[in-house]
Structure formats: structure tokens, C-alpha cells
Amino acid sequence: MSAALLSLTIPLATAMLLLLFRTRAGTVVIVANTASLVAAMLALDAVMTGAREQLSLGNWDAPLGIRFELGPLTAVLLVFTALIHLLVTIYAQASRHSKTRDTDFWPLSCLLHASLAALWLSRDLFNWYITLELLGLTAVAMIIISGPRSHLPALRYLLLSLAASLCYLLGVAFLYGRYGVLDIRMLAEVVVDDPGTRLAMLLLTLGLMLKAALWPLHQWLPAAHAAAPTAVSALLSALVVKGPLFILWMVWSTLAEPGFARQAGVLFAFAGIAALVSGGWAALRTPWLKVLVAYSTVAQLGYALLALGLLLYWQDPEMSIALWLFVLAHGLAKVSMFLGAGEMQATLGSRRVSALKGASQTMPLAMFAFAVAGGSLIGLPPSGGFIAKWVLLQPLLVEPSHWPWALGVLLGTLASAGYVFRVVTIAFNRADPSSPGHDPDTAAQWLAMLPALIVWAMALLSEPLILWFQEVGL
Amino acid sequence: MSHISLYLLGGVALWVLGLHALMTQRNALRRIMAVNVMGSGTFMVMVALAARMTPIDPVLQALVVTGLVVAASATAFALRLATTESPVADVDRERE
Amino acid sequence: MITTWTTLLPPAIVLSSLLPGLLIFSLREDQTRLRIGLNLFAVILKLGLVGLMLRGVGQGLEFRFALPFLPGGDLVLHGDATSLQFVSLSAVLWLATTVYAIGYLQDSPLQSRFFGYFSLCVSATVGLALAGNLVTFLLFYELLTLATFPLLVHRGTKKALKAGRIYLAHTLGGGALLLMGVALLHSLTGSPEFQAGGYVELLADAHQPSLMVAFALMIAGLGVKAALIPLHGWLPEAMVAPAPVSALLHAVAVVKAGAFGIIRVVYDVYGVDQVQALGLAMPLLAVAAATIIYGSLKALQQQELKKRLAYSTVSQVSYITLGVALVGPIAGVAALAHLVHQGLMKVTLFYCAGNFAETLGIHHIQEMNGVGRRMPLTMAAFTLGALGMIGIPPTAGFISKWYLGLGALEVGQDWILLILVVSGLLNAAYFLPLIYRGWFCGPPRQWPDERSLGSGLPGAGETHWMLLAPVLFTTVLALLAGLLAGSEVSPLAWSQLIINRQFGL
């Protein structure tokens, strides 16, 4: 547990120090991140050998105190967060085009990391509210690093995020008023299925879905994610939207009665398929590169939503594994995609998709990163995305009556193939290559590719992970 | 108990009013105010729920205080964002 | 797992082209010698390794390599007789095509990219051939799609990009269907290794509809690459690719991957008995027969040389499917032998078409008049290849068709003979005019676009030697496959061996 806490406190302390000493040194953050990653790995190792661990902060017990819990999923997510943050900060420090040097990016990204780590560890509805607010505020603050042009989408994001938090908070208030506890485990013991609880759950769900940009509450995401600097976009898509998703999954899988869960599950699953199709379609149509990548996030979250829906509908814990594998694979792939897209956009001097003509010659590495990451999003073997899709498909296919859901997965696959190869095909157009405005930055392009290579390597490493999850549960 | 129900209903009404305004208004300042109205509604519900017990539930009151801090700082941030000179329209000027 | 050379050989065969391919990507355009050196080194290394494996399998050694990948489905590379048939074909034709491609692409830009993907493409093909279970097969099948796409759009023209889009739409769609089929079967039994006679027998009672749906999905997914109608639309478009790519695409890499997959699914996953029992053989047979006739009819209408060859591929590859779908031992031998025979003959024809286009600028059929006088060696190779396609004795194509016919009679599907005869006549109708024009019509005063690639004289100098040598090499191989069909080293004899195991003869 102490290792997990260290993984949380190192970025927090780094953020404070950077603010205190008014320095914006990226190397400090990278070193701190490495330490945080090592701590997270130690925590994971401890969980793998031992059992779940509990910690009551300041020795105050629930209901008044704050309880942290370190389970298998939390440990994996801590490692995931630290790894993504590390990869992104190395890029942000090394790339000539990152536009984040000597800005508030460094303390803010550390704060983001810390609040996310706190979110993974928390098991308390109100504590989650606090971490959600921290996450939202730092995310908005990071978006406006790219200048006044981003203020409009940032303000929209902030207001929606606040409204979503208040929606969530009202739900929390109702639940507390009804049961008098906030801790999720204690709540699970006393919760009953009545209209008041259902209303509270509905409010929680609406708030969280808006924050996680789950269809149909996703409209704010493309503008906000596309407006941010490249490194920030990567963090937002890979990490920030996953926080509310975690809470949503936790709340529904522990609090909902089976009957209610089944009803809601169908809706979630249909929303997931709708997200896959409509997000994919929007990504196919948009003329802007980063908006395309952002819409792909909307679409990919559809897989997670589908998995969540079927988890509730069939009460099949296997689906949780699929859900979180999707999150891990998507996070890594999306970092690569945003970094690759950002590099190409900055070097070729245009934000349009059509400007990528000939990019396979002029910027082969960044384009390759984009394509490789795209392969994982489509779910081509042997990538992390493929493994996640496979785990999702297994229970879908075994019963003929479940087959219609598999059609949704098929649609999602085809839609993502459509938008990924839309970009790749343009890059192979040799008729009229746009010449790079200035030198491509080779090192930065390699850094953009690194997460994509990790997600493909994930395919070969995930069997033990899946078996472990199946054995001990999440 | 009826006056507590009144507060509860009032809180919920404020929350709905705020949400409605947030969705219909376009002006940034009004939308920020709308979010604040929503916040007030939520806090009122929480205070009313706390007041149902004797002695008054300290946990909920502590939560409201925390929530108020968050709401105040977020509002300040939103105001700062809303008052910066934002460009006329978000158009790409490179190619057209 | 004890690591010995027998476990490491299968991955070594895959890596022997993969690693050089990745190295080639990193080379600058002007490092021509290093690139050629790496290419040839990889080719020869792979041939050596394949030879080693052939000898080992002949001595009864087991070559198997496994990595954990999915629960119930490891990543398995396994060298058995069936895979060796395909691996040897790929390795040999890769040698010829590499030499050809070096000659063909001289002085053209982006060679590092081309040869990089070229090597990846062969690695994927070989991996697919060595795949020991369905999951592994699926993996390499998708990688093959990805590796071929850049080759197809290599020229980067509008037409090439359009062909690329069509190709992707077909193959990615097919890949998704295959994935669904494989995943469905996996959800029932996991993915055990391929085994003669299949492994689904125990499921047949409880899960009959699932098995049928899985079969349909897999065949549809594989049928895209094997160009079964109505999924063949990408193949004629794909002929805009550079000639070495077309040659590889049509002879080994892509269409054969589909056909090979069908062989695996029918023989080593379901087993002939189950395919028969589930009533799946007849629909497959009908589709294959329809494709044979349709492809030939369409080929007859084409006036562009490469397009005619492309439709001819549609037709010819379906002989393999036809042989498999007949589910008899003799037809099976024909199918497996044709996998090799068609590869050798079609690669020759595409090389020749490429030589005509590069040397003289000939793209259309009318322009072939008298080409035999200017390029007798190429035209002779073309003639032999075409005669083989028609099935005139003693060419390799004749052997395939003869055994197919015998196989059809053996299982009582006499109507297949009619298909064979009609298709043979159609083949003759679209190939004989080319041969006639080439040898017996007078040459034009000026060729469409003549380039001085060799000495310019008929014979050894009729074109660049690197373009000519592979043509002669594959022609000789195709001839030998036909002439020596009765001997022990021929593709036919090897097919016999595989089939004997399958049918327990």
C-alpha cells in the first residue's frame, strides 16, 4: 500500500515543488514520473503476491474517514497512468513542436496524475466527487495552454464538467440521505431497489457519462480535445475520460440490483453501439486531423460502454476484463495517435487531414506511429485492441442468441478501419505531396511511436493479465 | 418535518432551474450563473437532508463546505476564461 | 519448453525476412548495394532454412514453436507437410521475385520503403503458412493485408489509391468476418492445433448451427483473398500495382493465403467428414465452379493484358477451392498440387507481362503483335505458361486438371468435368489469341514505348538480365513440375503424402 501511496504522492509533491519554486523544468517531472512508475509497479507486484489492501487515511475509519483500497485493477491502472504520463512527458520535453516547454503544463500534468491516482484508489462517493473536480479543473487549465483560441471550447468543457459534477453530487446527496453512508462497500450492503435509489443512480450516471463523454453526452469532447496542445490532447483522451468511467463501472457493478442492472445494461449496450457507429462516422467526415482522432475516442469509448452494458445485462464478470483491456489498449494507442498527428500537423503546417498527402514519404515515422496505433484501435492482431475485442467477443459468440451484439462489434471494427485508413491512404498519395514547412523531428516521431509499439507488445503479455483477473477478480 | 421537505423541494427546483438555464442560455456569464444556481440547489438539498436528524448530521455539512470551496474556485476560473478576449470565430486561416 | 533448433527453426524462417525488412526501412535511398545485399542475403538464408526444414520433416522431425497469446489459443508456428508445401513455394518465388523487383525498380524512387514492405509481405505469408492454429493464422492473415497495402499503392497515383481503397475495403471486411468465425469457433473449443481430420467432431451434435455459421464466416473471410465470387472485386483493380507486386499477389501472397486458409479450414479444422456431414461441401463446390466459369468469361472480355491475367487468376485459384470442396482424396491431391502449379505458371505470366510493359511499353493485347520476334525468350515463357493454364499435356496445369477430373469422377460429381472442359475451352479462347499475335502477326514499325534495357537484340539481351532470368527460372520450374510429376520430389508427390494422412490412406 505504501508503494501505491508513493505513486500518488510523488507527482503531487512534484507539482507543489514546481509551483513553489516557480520552475517549469521538464526533466524534474520526468524523473518524478519514473519514480512514480516504479512505485506503481512495486504496488502491482505486492498485489500480485498478496491480497487486496485497505488504508484508512489518518486512521479515521469510514464513514467519517477516507478509505483507500488497492486491488488488482487499481494497481494496474496506477501503472498505466504513470506509464502514459511518463511517455507523454518525455515527448513533451523532447519534441520541438510540443509547445509545452516552460509552461504550466508540467505542474498541471503532475496534478492530473495525482488526482487520477487518488480516483483509482478511492472507494467513497464523495471522495470521487473531489477527484473528479480536480481532474476536470486541471484538464481545462491544460487545454488553455495552447492560447486564447482554445478558451471557448475550454469554457464549454468547464461549464459542462461543473454541471455534470453537480448532477453527480445531487445523486450522492440523495444516496447519503437515504442510507447515511458514502463508502461504496458499505453502501452495497444496505442498498435496496426503490424509486429513490433509482433516481439517485440516474443522476450519478448522467453526471459521469457527461464527464466521460459517453454517447450521447459526448458533444463537448472533440472540440475540447482538438483545441489542446498535442501532449495535453494525448493525456485527455488516454486518461481523463477513463476516470469517470471507472466510477461508473464501480457504482453500477456494486450498487445496482440485478433487475435494475439488466434494464440499464441494455441501454448502455445500445448507447455503446451508437457511439461506435456515430463516432466512427463523424471521424470519417471531419476535415480536421485532431478532431478525427478525438472522434475516434468517442467511438472507442463505445466499446467500453458496450462491455459495461453487457456486464450488467448478463451479470458476467468476464466483461469487466474486456472493458478494462479496452481502456488500457485505447489509452496507449490514443497517445501514439495524438502525438503522431500533432507532429505531422506541426511539421506540415496545416490542421487538415488533406494536408497529409505524401506524409508516408515526408514523415514516415509519425505516419507509421499513427497507422500502428490505428491498427490497435481497429483491433487487428496482435495488438492490445485485438485482445480486448477477443475477450469481449468470446461470451458474445458462445450463445447463438447473443450473436446480434457481435454485429455491433463488427460495425465498430469496420467504422474504425474506415477512419484510420482514410488517413493512411491519403498519406500514400504521391501525386501532390505537401512539402514539410521545416525539418521533421525524428526523435519526437520515435517517441510518438513508442506507445503504439507498447500496445502491440501488450498482445503478447496480456494472457497472464487476463488469467490473473479471471482468477482473483478485479 | 414539512419545512424540511420545503427546503428539499426548493433545492431540487433550483437545481432544475439552473440546468435549464445552462442548456438554453448562450451568454457565457449567464451560463456561469446557471451553474452556480445548480450548485446552490444541490447544497440546499444537502443541508436540508442534514437537518432531518438531531443532532444535525456533521458529515453532510462538512461535505457542503468542501463543495462550496470547489464551486467558488471553479467559478473564479470560469469567469477568468469568459472574460479573456476570445477570437471572433474559430476558423482555420491557413488554407482558405 | 525445451529450446532446441527444432523449436527455433519455424520462427527463424519468419524472422529471416522480417528483420532484414525492418533494416531495409532504415536505409537511405542511395544505399542501393547494401539494400540489394540485405535482400539477397535474406532470400538465400530463408531458402536455406526452408531446405533444412524440408529435410527434417522428411526424416520425421517435429518443428514446433509456441508462445502464450490468448487463453486457449497460443501463438503456434508448426512445420508440417501442408505448411511446407506453401512455405517452399513462397521461398522459391520470393527469390525469383526479389531479383525481378531489383531489375524492375532500378532508378525508381522510394525503394527502401518498397523492399521493406516486400519483405514484410513475405514474412506474413510464411508465417501464415507455418501457423499451427487458427488464431495464429488469423494474426498473419491480417498482417498480410497490412503489409501488401503499401505495395499496392506504391506508385501513389490516383488509380493506385483507388485500387488500394477497394483492396482494403474487401480485405479488412474479410478479415473482420474471419475474425468473427475464428472467435466463434474459439468460444466453443478454444483454438487447438491443426490436425488432420479436424477437431470439431465432438461438437457436431450440440452446436451444429454454430459450426455452420463459423464455417460460412471463415470461408467468406478467406474467400475475399481467394477471390471467390462475389468477393473478387479487388483483384482486377489490384493489377495497377508494379509488376513484381502483381506477380507475388497473384501467385503466392494474397490469393494463395485465402486458398491455403480454405484448405486448412476444410482439412485440418473441420475435417472432410464433418464438412460432408454438415452439408457444407456442396455450396462451396458450387461457388468455386461458378467462380471458375465467371472468371474465364470476364477474362475473355478484357483488352488489357494484366487485367486479362487478373481475371484468369480469379478463375484458376478457384480450382484449388474446387478440389478441396470435392472432399475426395484424388481431388485433394489436385488442389494441393495446383497451389504450387498455379503459382509457378501465374508468376511467369506476370513477369512476362511486366517485361513487355517495361521493355516495349506493351499494355494492350493488340500491341502484342509480333512481340515474339523482338523478345523470343520472354514470349516462349509466356507461351509455356499460357499452355499450362489451358491444361495442355505435359504441362503442370494439365496434371492439376487431370487429377481434378479423376477426383470428381471418384466422388460421383460428374458435372464437374463439364466445368473443367468449358473452362479449358475458355482458357484457350483467351490465351491462344495472345500466343498467335505474339508469334505469327507482324511486328509494328515502332513499339509503343521502347526502352533500352538490354542489348536490344532478341535473345539473352532482349531485356535487362534481372528481368529475364526470373522468367526463365520459373518457366523451367513449371515445366519440371509437369514433366517430373511422377517422381518423388514433385509437388504432386508431396500433395499425395499430405492427402494420405488426411484421409488415413
Side-chain angles (χ1 to χ4, degrees):
Chain A
M1 194 68 191
S2 52
L5 275 186
L6 211 56
S7 166
L8 161 79
T9 43
I10 289 171
L12 187 64
T14 315
M16 295 305 150
L17 288 177
L18 288 179
L19 290 173
L20 196 64
F21 293 104
R22 296 174 175 278
T23 163
R24 298 292 179 261
T27 39
V28 177
V29 177
I30 293 174
V31 171
N33 259 327
T34 316
S36 171
L37 179 62
V38 171
M41 282 174 155
L42 288 176
L44 179 63
D45 187 55
V47 177
M48 278 181 137
T49 50
R52 289 161 201 276
E53 290 184 69
Q54 312 283 339
L55 177 79
S56 299
L57 286 187
N59 284 333
W60 286 74
D61 278 331
L64 213 54
I66 294 168
R67 185 172 68 93
F68 276 179
E69 184 182 302
L70 180 67
L73 178 64
T74 298
V76 169
L77 286 173
L78 283 174
V79 173
F80 168 70
T81 311
L83 177 67
I84 298 256
H85 189 206
L86 179 64
L87 290 168
V88 172
T89 43
I90 293 176
Y91 166 84
Q93 175 70 11
S95 167
R96 280 190 259 125
H97 306 302
S98 74
K99 292 182 190 150
T100 42
R101 287 212 194 141
D102 306 318
T103 61
D104 293 337
F105 170 80
W106 300 100
L108 284 171
S109 79
C110 286
L111 272 182
L112 189 85
H113 182 168
S115 36
L116 209 53
L119 194 156
W120 306 138
L121 284 165
S122 296
R123 291 294 181 273
D124 170 312
L125 287 175
F126 189 75
N127 215 11
W128 275 333
Y129 165 74
I130 301 290
T131 52
L132 276 179
E133 285 291 32
L134 279 174
L135 208 58
L137 288 177
T138 37
V140 174
M142 286 169 87
I143 290 176
I144 59 171
I145 292 173
S146 65
R149 213 150 118 146
S150 61
H151 284 194
L152 211 61
L155 180 64
R156 269 192 72 193
Y157 177 28
L158 178 62
L159 288 175
L160 282 177
S161 166
L162 284 175
S165 305
L166 290 169
C167 201
Y168 174 82
L169 189 61
L170 191 63
V172 174
F174 283 167
L175 278 181
Y176 184 80
R178 176 82 175 71
Y179 301 107
V181 278
L182 290 168
D183 189 276
I184 191 104
R185 300 262 178 252
M186 297 168 104
L187 205 51
E189 286 163 18
V190 293
V191 76
V192 288
D193 191 18
D194 62 9
T197 313
R198 288 193 175 201
L199 178 66
M201 292 282 278
L202 181 72
L203 286 170
L204 292 185
T205 308
L206 279 181
L208 292 170
M209 282 180 76
L210 188 57
K211 285 219 168 221
L214 298 176
W215 193 90
L217 303 173
H218 64 278
Q219 280 92 347
W220 59 269
L221 182 138
H225 283 198
T230 298
V232 177
S233 308
L235 284 179
L236 292 183
S237 265
L239 294 179
V240 174
V241 290
K242 310 296 164 55
L245 186 67
F246 177 79
I247 303 174
L248 191 66
W249 169 77
M250 206 65 173
V251 164
W252 276 97
S253 57
T254 51
L255 295 188
E257 295 295 312
F260 187 33
R262 281 179 61 86
Q263 291 170 9
V266 178
L267 293 179
F268 278 131
F270 274 117
I273 292 177
L276 280 170
V277 175
S278 71
W281 179 251
L284 264 177
R285 304 290 305 162
T286 177
W288 314 109
L289 181 59
K290 270 184 139 182
V291 177
L292 182 148
V293 183
Y295 267 117
S296 127
T297 302
V298 173
Q300 290 288 317
L301 285 169
Y303 277 126
L305 205 50
L306 179 63
L308 177 65
L310 296 178
L311 160 74
L312 299 174
Y313 187 45
W314 295 329
Q315 301 286 314
D316 179 359
E318 194 88 334
M319 284 294 172
S320 291
I321 301 175
L323 196 166
W324 290 107
L325 284 176
F326 268 119
V327 167
L328 300 182
H330 172 252
L332 285 165
K334 201 39 74 73
V335 167
S336 235
M337 216 167 191
F338 259 122
L339 298 187
E343 272 301 306
M344 290 191 280
Q345 175 171 306
T347 313
L348 301 173
S350 168
R351 301 192 292 149
R352 284 181 171 273
V353 177
S354 56
L356 294 179
K357 268 182 201 163
S360 66
Q361 287 154 263
T362 49
M363 303 194 66
L365 285 172
M367 195 59 228
F368 197 71
F370 189 96
V372 169
S376 175
L377 293 186
I378 302 171
L380 294 175
S383 64
F386 166 74
I387 304 281
K389 203 163 76 177
W390 186 266
V391 176
L392 175 67
L393 275 175
Q394 286 305 311
L396 288 188
L397 291 171
V398 76
E399 284 291 325
S401 57
H402 296 166
W403 286 351
W405 294 112
L407 210 62
V409 179
L410 188 66
L411 276 178
T413 307
L414 296 180
S416 37
Y419 61 74
V420 169
F421 280 101
R422 174 187 173 208
V423 176
V424 174
T425 315
I426 288 178
F428 276 98
N429 190 335
R430 231 154 89 178
D432 173 28
S434 328
S435 62
H438 36 249
D439 283 349
D441 185 344
T442 316
Q445 294 184 58
W446 274 110
L447 288 173
M449 187 157 9
L450 195 57
L453 296 180
I454 296 176
V455 79
W456 281 66
M458 190 181 138
L460 296 175
L461 302 174
S462 41
E463 197 196 10
L465 191 68
I466 298 172
L467 294 178
W468 182 48
F469 279 166
Q470 279 173 344
E471 190 189 323
V472 298
L474 299 178
Chain B
M1 272 304 172
S2 67
H3 67 286
I4 288 182
S5 313
L6 210 62
Y7 278 113
L8 270 178
L9 281 179
V12 172
L14 273 180
W15 188 89
V16 173
L17 202 66
L19 184 64
H20 174 259
L22 181 70
M23 289 195 298
T24 49
Q25 297 294 330
R26 283 288 149 256
N27 183 292
L29 205 57
R30 287 178 184 220
R31 298 183 80 193
I32 294 171
M33 284 166 70
V35 169
N36 273 286
V37 171
M38 270 179 90
S40 307
T42 314
F43 298 139
M44 204 157 132
V45 169
M46 290 167 83
V47 171
L49 285 172
R52 289 186 314 176
M53 292 178 221
T54 38
I56 288 170
D57 187 353
V59 174
L60 268 177
Q61 296 208 327
L63 300 191
V64 171
V65 174
T66 322
L68 280 173
V69 173
V70 173
S73 43
T75 307
F77 186 25
L79 285 172
R80 176 75 185 85
L81 273 183
T83 48
T84 36
E85 287 289 317
S86 54
V88 199
D90 199 39
V91 280
D92 193 43
R93 287 167 230 152
E94 296 145 14
R95 293 250 159 163
E96 281 85 1
Chain C
M1 191 176 72
I2 311 148
T3 323
T4 58
W5 73 277
T6 51
T7 51
L8 292 179
L9 190 58
I13 289 180
V14 176
L15 292 179
S16 66
S17 49
L18 185 67
L19 295 181
L22 294 178
L23 280 179
I24 289 171
F25 275 120
S26 66
L27 296 183
R28 286 193 319 274
E29 271 312 301
D30 54 353
Q31 290 172 304
T32 316
R33 281 194 178 186
L34 188 55
R35 189 169 52 233
I36 292 178
L38 258 174
N39 257 322
L40 292 178
F41 167 74
V43 171
I44 291 172
L45 180 67
K46 184 184 281 303
L47 266 178
L49 293 174
V50 170
L52 205 60
M53 190 185 257
L54 270 172
R55 247 193 57 172
V57 168
Q59 290 169 350
L61 286 175
E62 174 100 2
F63 296 94
R64 188 176 173 282
F65 171 82
L67 268 182
F69 180 46
L70 289 167
D74 286 350
L75 203 65
V76 180
L77 293 174
H78 185 214
D80 63 4
T82 319
S83 49
L84 270 174
Q85 177 105 329
F86 195 20
V87 170
S88 320
L89 176 75
S90 318
V92 170
L93 289 192
W94 189 37
L95 165 71
T97 311
T98 301
V99 175
Y100 188 83
I102 293 170
Y104 186 89
L105 287 175
Q106 268 177 348
D107 314 319
S108 75
L110 294 177
Q111 289 199 42
S112 289
R113 191 179 88 185
F114 180 88
F115 283 104
Y117 281 114
F118 200 68
S119 305
L120 292 193
C121 181
V122 172
S123 314
T125 311
V126 173
L128 182 142
L130 288 171
N133 60 15
L134 270 178
V135 170
T136 317
F137 182 87
L138 173 73
L139 189 155
F140 285 108
Y141 192 78
E142 297 279 24
L143 286 182
L144 181 62
T145 305
L146 300 185
T148 13
F149 172 73
L151 294 176
L152 205 64
V153 297
H154 181 71
R155 291 217 170 103
T157 57
K158 227 177 188 151
K159 220 172 149 196
L161 289 173
K162 183 175 159 244
R165 280 198 195 96
I166 293 175
Y167 173 72
L168 278 179
H170 278 86
T171 48
L172 285 174
L177 291 180
L178 181 67
L179 166 74
M180 288 290 166
V182 172
L184 174 51
L185 206 57
H186 185 97
S187 74
L188 299 176
T189 67
S191 288
E193 285 182 38
F194 293 133
Q195 57 192 75
Y199 54 76
V200 300
E201 206 178 337
L202 294 173
L203 301 168
D205 297 328
H207 297 283
Q208 196 179 354
S210 296
L211 282 184
M212 289 170 76
V213 170
F215 188 83
L217 284 170
M218 286 193 278
I219 295 294
L222 296 165
V224 169
K225 283 207 172 117
L228 290 176
I229 54 169
L231 308 168
H232 65 283
W234 62 273
L235 188 58
E237 300 289 332
M239 59 94 212
V240 296
V245 177
S246 302
L248 207 63
L249 230 65
H250 284 254
V252 245
V254 178
V255 291
K256 284 299 164 58
F260 185 74
I262 294 178
I263 293 177
R264 280 294 198 197
V265 168
V266 172
Y267 285 164
D268 297 337
V269 175
Y270 278 73
V272 280
D273 295 337
Q274 281 308 314
V275 172
Q276 195 82 296
L278 292 168
L280 298 165
M282 203 53 208
L284 187 59
L285 188 65
V287 172
T291 310
I292 290 175
I293 299 296
Y294 173 85
S296 298
L297 282 174
K298 287 293 278 190
L300 202 53
Q301 298 164 11
Q302 306 305 320
Q303 293 309 313
E304 221 173 314
L305 182 57
K306 275 183 91 178
K307 228 171 183 162
R308 186 170 281 198
L309 291 180
Y311 273 109
S312 151
T313 306
V314 173
S315 162
Q316 290 283 339
V317 169
S318 288
Y319 282 121
I320 302 172
T321 314
L322 188 82
V324 174
L326 280 170
V327 294
I330 302 184
V333 172
L336 285 168
H338 197 58
L339 186 88
V340 177
H341 292 164
Q342 191 269 351
L344 292 171
M345 297 184 297
K346 198 30 95 38
V347 95
T348 311
L349 288 174
F350 267 101
Y351 290 157
C352 293
N355 282 1
F356 293 148
E358 279 304 286
T359 321
L360 303 176
I362 293 172
H363 296 281
H364 279 266
I365 282 158
Q366 300 95 304
E367 294 162 351
M368 279 185 73
N369 287 358
V371 73
R373 293 182 209 174
R374 168 68 176 73
M375 301 176 70
L377 287 178
T378 308
M379 190 61 209
F382 188 88
T383 309
L384 284 172
L387 291 180
M389 285 289 174
I390 302 169
I392 294 186
T395 57
F398 166 73
I399 306 285
S400 314
K401 288 194 180 181
W402 179 255
Y403 273 82
L404 266 182
L406 285 181
L409 289 177
E410 180 199 36
V411 295
Q413 304 278 6
D414 297 359
W415 59 282
I416 292 296
L417 284 191
L418 193 68
I419 300 280
L420 291 178
V421 170
V422 170
S423 131
L425 288 176
L426 285 170
N427 288 346
Y430 64 77
F431 272 130
L432 286 182
L434 306 186
I435 298 172
Y436 178 80
R437 278 174 189 274
W439 293 117
F440 303 112
C441 288
R445 238 169 290 152
Q446 201 188 350
W447 297 102
D449 178 21
E450 185 163 358
R451 291 165 61 198
S452 53
L453 290 175
S455 63
L457 297 172
E462 66 189 33
T463 185
H464 193 278
W465 70 269
M466 282 184 128
L467 297 180
L468 193 57
V471 176
L472 301 177
F473 175 64
T474 52
T475 313
V476 169
L477 283 182
L479 265 182
L480 287 179
L483 290 173
L484 302 179
S487 80
E488 272 181 24
V489 291
S490 70
L492 188 73
W494 193 263
S495 312
Q496 193 83 53
L497 181 90
I498 298 169
I499 291 298
N500 286 349
R501 287 186 190 166
Q502 171 68 28
F503 287 86
L505 296 175

